[in-house]
Amino acid sequence: NLGIMYANGRGVCQDYAEAVHCYRRAAEQGNTLAQTNLGSMYDNGRGVTQDYAEAVHWFLRAAEQGYVTAQINLGGMYDNGLGVTQDYAEAVNWYRKAAEQGNALAQTNLGFMYENGLGVIQDYAEAVNWYRKAAEQGDASAQTNLGFMYENGRGLLQDAVFAHMWYNIGGANGIERGLDNRGLIEERMTREQIAEAQAFAWRCMSSNYQDCG
């Protein structure tokens, strides 16, 4: 906790080096939060010289203990080849571990890997499965991606109404691409279809994404 206070300047002057010192003491005792935070400091060069390999070291220690945030971060390091040789299959491995614990960001990332055949055999239906899990937790990127899958009939039947619905929801939650795509697909829809999609979107959001067709 003291490390977090120094990192964020809460109750003390912001001091990344002191935060690193506090994180390291706890991390060396096996604390997963501290290990993950220390990895992030190395990843971002805060309080230490930026060192992706050292970031990977600490993310791995926490990830192996099942800590979700570390698993996602480690997946990202393998995905982007930071501190390790780029390895999409290993990225998928860590994204999956976090996704299976219910983390929406990991589910979105895993869906993207399946959609694009990165580290796995391309499988649109599996991509839809993971996007939907994340979308139903309110992940705006997953919602927008799910709209794209509906628009293009990837992994499910093509459906402009549901594509519009998910684009609308993703856009409402801050993804500009969702609003742009919604506008484009409206050019190919009837007034009745647009009205239906808007009604579906309202129902979906009002139910906290539990009644989305």
Side-chain angles (χ1 to χ4, degrees), residues 163-195:
H164 186 289
M165 181 193 83
W166 284 114
Y167 283 149
N168 201 9
I169 292 170
N173 287 324
I175 302 297
E176 187 174 346
R177 177 168 54 91
L179 297 178
D180 291 341
N181 288 354
R182 183 195 66 183
L184 291 172
I185 200 171
E186 281 184 353
E187 296 175 2
R188 308 192 302 273
M189 296 172 67
T190 66
R191 285 186 180 181
E192 291 75 18
Q193 286 177 316
I194 294 171

Side-chain angles (χ1 to χ4, degrees), residues 139-151:
D139 187 280
S141 292
Q143 291 164 345
T144 303
N145 291 351
L146 190 53
F148 180 83
M149 303 303 273
Y150 270 110
E151 180 180 4

Side-chain angles (χ1 to χ4, degrees), residues 147 149-153 156-164 185 200:
M149 303 303 273
Y150 270 110
E151 180 180 4
N152 294 281
L156 35 60
L157 291 176
Q158 189 176 43
D159 192 313
V161 170
F162 280 112
H164 186 289
I185 200 171
F200 283 172

